[in-house]
Amino acid sequence: MEDIEDLLAGGVGGAPPGFRLPMNAVGINPKTNKSKRSSSKQNEITDSNRDSLAPPSMKIPGTQTIYIKTFGCSHNMSDSEYMAGQLTAFGYGLTEVPEEADLWLINTCTVKSPSQSAMSTLITRGRSGKKPLVIAGCVPQGSRDLKELEGVSVVGVQQIDRVVEIVEETLKGHEVRLLNRKTLPALDLPKVRRNNFIEILPINVGCLGACTYCKTKHARGHLGSYTVDSLVERVRTVISQGVKEIWLSSEDTGAYGRDIGVNLPILLNAIVKELPADQSTMLRIGMTNPPFILEHLKEIAAVLRHPCVYTFLHVPVQSGSDSVLTAMHREYTSSEFRTVVDTLTELVPGMQIATDIICGFPGETDEDFSQTVGLIKDYKFSQVHISQFYPRPGTPAAKMKKVQSKVVKQRSRELTCVFEAFAPYTGMEGREERIWITEIATDGVHLVGHTKGYIQVLVNGPESMLGTSAIARITSVGRWSVFGDVIETLTSANVETQAPREETKPPCSSDVKTCETCDCSAAESGCCGDEKKSGDACNISKEISRQDQSVGSYKTQEKQELVTTPWGLVDKALVCGVFISSLTILVLFISIASRVLLRQ
């Protein structure tokens, strides 16, 4: 079927985002009933379920229940939240139980074969259950002629503001397709967040890359950035709504603004000005590829030092081999990736970096793979997303000579073993960390908080603690997260009173002569009695101290410069004036005393 055009009856304009268009304004393909149910089947319908099995068109539009399933990245999650918001704004109900729904809305991902296979399985299940289906996301946008999409309605990634119309027409038995790219969907559309405390904010769609393995570019297209003003306004809005974490999301955060004459540091600096001074709302910067942040590393490091910004960044490397990176058309070298990691680690205290690896890319040799393993061993990243290469239809890499499947699996297992042998959180026991609590753990028992380095901390506490910040003492560490006890829940008032107390502490030192006055004094931790232990304890304390001191100013280096700045001319003149005045008073006092003694 050809893509439909977005036309209004009798005009060339479009409806405001989120508003319904009349039926004749939407291109539809009415379905025909190819087979009639036998009279015996119809007679089996009882009065109690006759209404629930009646044709959807007989129900009042906006009264049905929708099941939404989302695959893929945080950008897809945000799109689903926007679609859910528009549907509920027009009266539709939402359910997490598929069988209870009148229609299924499936938001798809085309990055990997497994996620698309899961989509196909869900579509088959929906067909079997006679559920009207609407398929959204990257799969229909990037693979319009896919067999699984026959006979279902589809909505493109830039048409999510039309979801109400599509759902209505689908419930009436029509097949609707909206795939043409238009302007970016508005950021102020109604939205239903899966987590009330987390706002996923898309800052741009598409990218500037041309990776040979990537299917997402086919779906999301070329780079399209939202304006700085629109994003800042959205930040103000969600903060007023009680959001405690803002995730900046896109296909490549680092490329932001290059199509509209701005760049990522400009946006980040504009956003952090809007964040509450009490650190009640935190910002998480989304995934960025190395090429587009190399020229802004110092500016981005300065933003990451801001007290309201998590010191965490997802920077995919994909391979440690330059020859493989060239075949992938990644537009950087392994050395440049190392520069990104080294620079951020040096300039940002407590910096945490996550990365991605594709095992078994076409043409990858044993030596290439060895270089990738070496890279991961060198940095011991706390998070590495390891995946096997999947040829995506229509991509250049799909036509390249593949590595044997058993070799790909073996390399994936080997790298996974290397990664899982790391113990990135060893040494955190006993430390006190500020955490931001926003989720309930999958075990249903713990609450999930994150440190400023976005390390996951599991704590016990009532659900009323969600959306708060607290001081937690780390009690034990695991491979993927750490456990802690909440020792203080923070409010705006006690955050302000704590900051000066923390800043008056002198920096830690491993020197025995000075260690008695620092945070890790011998009376408290015994660090001065053991040179190696002293160094480790002081390093840990220094990292905590740096994070606490950043409350007053996120440019820590600038603060240190203020402390060590030499006296200026005015300072010297004032001191000289005080000295001369004191000397004059002393001379006058001696003179008066001498005269009194002579008279006697």
Side-chain angles (χ1 to χ4, degrees), residues 228-471:
V228 173
D229 289 344
S230 65
L231 291 166
V232 169
E233 181 59 33
R234 181 63 182 173
V235 167
R236 293 194 191 108
T237 299
V238 300
I239 290 175
S240 70
Q241 294 172 347
V243 162
K244 301 303 179 183
E245 277 188 12
I246 300 173
W247 298 358
L248 301 186
S249 177
S250 79
E251 282 64 58
D252 187 354
T253 302
Y256 169 79
R258 290 173 180 259
D259 57 320
I260 57 174
V262 294
N263 57 41
L264 182 61
I266 291 174
L267 173 65
L268 295 178
N269 282 300
I271 288 178
V272 296
K273 291 178 182 178
E274 305 297 328
L275 301 177
D278 62 1
Q279 297 175 267
S280 57
T281 300
M282 295 293 288
L283 178 70
R284 193 185 84 173
I285 303 174
M287 184 276 289
T288 177
N289 287 309
F292 300 112
I293 61 169
L294 277 167
E295 60 190 89
H296 301 302
L297 282 176
K298 290 186 178 179
E299 295 96 323
I300 292 175
V303 174
L304 288 165
R305 289 195 299 268
H306 190 285
C308 295
V309 181
Y310 286 119
T311 53
F312 169 85
L313 200 60
H314 178 195
V315 187
V317 63
Q318 305 300 4
S319 176
S321 165
D322 286 345
S323 62
V324 174
L325 291 174
T326 299
M328 291 178 171
H329 208 281
R330 290 289 289 173
E331 300 180 346
Y332 59 87
T333 64
S334 59
S335 176
E336 288 172 327
F337 172 79
R338 288 175 181 268
T339 297
V340 171
V341 177
D342 292 341
T343 303
L344 293 179
T345 302
E346 177 185 356
L347 297 180
V348 184
M351 186 69 200
Q352 296 285 322
I353 294 177
T355 195
D356 299 347
I357 296 293
I358 297 176
C359 290
F361 188 82
E364 182 186 65
T365 64
D366 289 340
E367 176 59 27
D368 294 328
F369 178 68
S370 177
Q371 292 174 12
T372 298
V373 174
L375 177 69
I376 299 303
K377 285 183 176 179
D378 287 345
Y379 289 101
K380 294 181 171 60
F381 298 105
S382 58
Q383 296 183 41
V384 180
H385 309 120
I386 302 170
S387 62
Q388 301 174 26
F389 170 74
Y390 294 101
R392 306 302 294 130
T395 62
K399 301 177 182 178
M400 298 178 182
K401 185 177 181 180
K402 299 176 181 59
V403 177
Q404 290 184 355
S405 178
K406 65 178 182 180
V407 175
V408 176
K409 293 178 180 178
Q410 186 273 328
R411 289 175 181 172
S412 177
R413 286 193 295 266
E414 180 180 341
L415 187 60
T416 299
C417 289
V418 169
F419 164 61
E420 292 183 349
F422 300 156
Y425 307 130
T426 299
M428 288 189 66
E429 298 96 331
R431 284 171 53 175
E432 294 181 6
E433 294 275 356
R434 181 172 182 176
I435 62 173
W436 288 263
I437 303 171
T438 55
E439 300 175 73
I440 299 175
T442 54
D443 62 9
V445 176
H446 294 89
L447 301 180
V448 179
H450 290 93
T451 68
K452 192 175 188 298
Y454 212 68
I455 298 172
Q456 182 174 269
V457 182
L458 302 180
V459 297
N460 289 308
E463 289 188 20
S464 59
M465 291 186 66
L466 290 171
T468 67
S469 179
I471 300 297

Side-chain angles (χ1 to χ4, degrees), residues 172-204:
K172 294 175 183 177
H174 303 140
E175 179 185 344
V176 185
R177 288 198 168 210
L178 283 174
L179 292 171
N180 286 350
R181 291 191 177 94
K182 300 167 44 181
T183 57
L184 298 176
L187 292 172
D188 59 354
L189 292 170
K191 193 171 191 179
V192 175
R193 302 184 188 92
R194 290 189 64 84
N195 187 320
N196 291 331
F197 301 108
I198 298 177
E199 165 71 7
I200 304 172
L201 179 58
I203 63 174
N204 57 263

Side-chain angles (χ1 to χ4, degrees), residues 541-587:
S541 182
K542 185 184 295 183
E543 182 178 339
I544 298 174
S545 178
R546 284 176 179 172
Q547 292 186 6
D548 290 339
Q549 290 172 359
S550 67
V551 173
S553 169
Y554 72 91
K555 295 186 178 179
T556 307
Q557 293 179 344
E558 291 182 6
K559 187 194 297 185
Q560 293 173 346
E561 289 173 4
L562 289 173
V563 175
T564 59
T565 300
W567 286 359
L569 181 61
V570 175
D571 298 324
K572 294 178 180 178
L574 288 173
V575 172
C576 289
V578 172
F579 176 75
I580 293 172
S581 299
S582 301
L583 185 62
T584 301
I585 293 171
L586 180 62
V587 169

Side-chain angles (χ1 to χ4, degrees), residues 495-536:
V495 167
E496 292 176 0
T497 57
Q498 277 190 350
R501 183 177 73 248
E502 294 295 325
E503 290 181 352
T504 57
K505 295 180 181 179
C508 283
S509 169
S510 59
D511 188 351
V512 173
K513 295 180 180 179
T514 61
C515 191
E516 61 183 6
T517 62
C518 75
D519 285 340
C520 57
S521 62
E524 294 179 344
S525 64
C527 70
C528 297
D530 183 326
E531 182 177 355
K532 184 176 185 301
K533 186 176 181 180
S534 171
D536 292 342

